[in-house]
Amino acid sequence: MSSSNTAGPAVPATASPGPAPAWTSHRTPPADRPDRVTVAVYAADPVLRLGVVQQLRQRPEIDLLADADAERAQVSLVVVDHVDDDVAALLHRLRHNTATRTGLVVATLGSGSLQRVIECGVAAVLRRAEADQDQLLRLVVAIANGEGVLPGDLLGKLLSHVGSLQRSALDPRGLSLSTLTTREADMLRMVSEGLDTAEIARKTSYSERTVKNILHEVITRLQLRNRAHAVGYALRNGLI
């Protein structure tokens, strides 16, 4: 993706009057499908966008939204080569839309860029080399369910960087936690090991709904952003 001077709103390429990147979304023919996950796909490169759209449009679980409807998508997928200022500007804009949660499909992502996208509110990351139809569907469903997804090596990088983020985001507000319940600590530990909701449910003999509720309670109580944020906070404070 080539760099540009400004990062405009998500509009079709034909509607962009200046040098702003042509962030676009795409959809299948209009339909009212409340059982499907609504998805908007954003990419400055039409080839990247088309590749993801062609994969997702074949799945009955997905409803791809048009540009006019993109603001109400449950999941926004941003597809890029790397994270630059234009991409960060788009991610920041999507973060302020409470209707959507954002996932990133990216070719390369260093540790510094990883921290940057987490700060921009990205809930999940998938490498483009691994973005086949099944992996894209898994990513979308996980995001829609309020889960975070990171490749194992990126999770390790995130945890190594999350301390400074926690200090800047939490300490000024005076947030503290004297203890976690045994159940909460065990579940956060399993999240840190890369287990998803279904795997945690099987290992603990709880329902997936119960697992989600417990983790949501921890995240809400500590005023954190997502599961990865909660794991980083617990590790930094020696709680797991």
Side-chain angles (χ1 to χ4, degrees):
M1 185 180 68
S2 59
S3 178
S4 58
N5 294 327
T6 60
V11 296
T14 54
S16 179
W23 298 112
T24 61
S25 59
H26 187 85
R27 80 163 295 162
T28 51
D32 183 14
R33 304 182 178 102
D35 57 322
R36 294 190 173 193
V37 178
T38 54
V39 179
V41 179
Y42 297 83
D45 185 335
V47 175
L48 297 183
R49 178 177 63 83
L50 182 61
V52 171
V53 166
Q54 287 182 332
Q55 297 277 21
L56 292 178
R57 72 177 1 151
Q58 302 174 43
R59 302 302 302 231
E61 304 94 332
I62 303 298
D63 186 15
L64 292 168
L65 297 184
D67 300 284
D69 299 323
E71 293 295 321
R72 66 176 180 83
Q74 293 170 266
V75 175
S76 294
L77 286 184
V78 177
V79 188
V80 295
D81 286 320
H82 59 276
V83 176
D84 59 14
D85 290 342
D86 292 327
V87 174
L90 173 63
L91 295 175
H92 272 296
R93 183 174 65 79
L94 292 173
R95 181 181 182 180
H96 294 297
N97 178 4
T98 57
T100 193
R101 299 184 78 244
T102 304
L104 180 69
V105 182
V106 62
T108 59
L109 189 68
S111 57
S113 295
L114 176 61
Q115 182 171 335
R116 187 180 192 186
V117 300
I118 294 297
E119 291 171 347
C120 289
V122 171
V125 175
L126 179 66
R127 287 193 176 90
R128 272 192 13 226
E130 301 169 356
D132 59 20
Q133 187 178 120
D134 290 338
Q135 290 296 327
L136 284 169
L137 179 64
R138 176 177 175 271
L139 185 77
V140 167
V141 172
I143 295 171
N145 287 336
E147 301 177 4
V149 178
L150 283 178
D153 64 307
L154 291 184
L155 180 59
K157 291 178 180 179
L158 172 62
L159 294 178
S160 69
H161 283 268
V162 77
S164 61
L165 177 60
Q166 303 295 339
R167 286 188 291 273
S168 63
L170 296 179
D171 291 348
R173 298 202 300 258
L175 296 180
S176 63
L177 178 69
S178 60
T179 187
L180 291 172
T181 67
T182 300
R183 183 170 64 172
E184 290 171 343
D186 287 343
M187 288 190 181
L188 281 179
R189 192 174 296 108
M190 284 183 273
V191 171
S192 74
E193 294 169 355
L195 276 65
D196 61 22
T197 299
E199 291 169 329
I200 294 173
R202 286 194 295 271
K203 288 181 71 71
T204 59
S205 299
Y206 292 116
S207 69
E208 292 187 33
R209 180 181 295 274
T210 297
V211 172
K212 290 179 182 178
N213 288 342
I214 291 170
L215 292 172
H216 178 73
E217 166 60 25
V218 173
I219 292 167
T220 301
R221 189 169 74 239
L222 297 179
Q223 301 182 33
L224 304 175
R225 295 188 181 91
N226 50 43
R227 294 185 182 187
H229 203 185
V231 169
Y233 181 81
L235 287 170
R236 183 172 73 88
N237 288 277
L239 300 173
I240 60 174

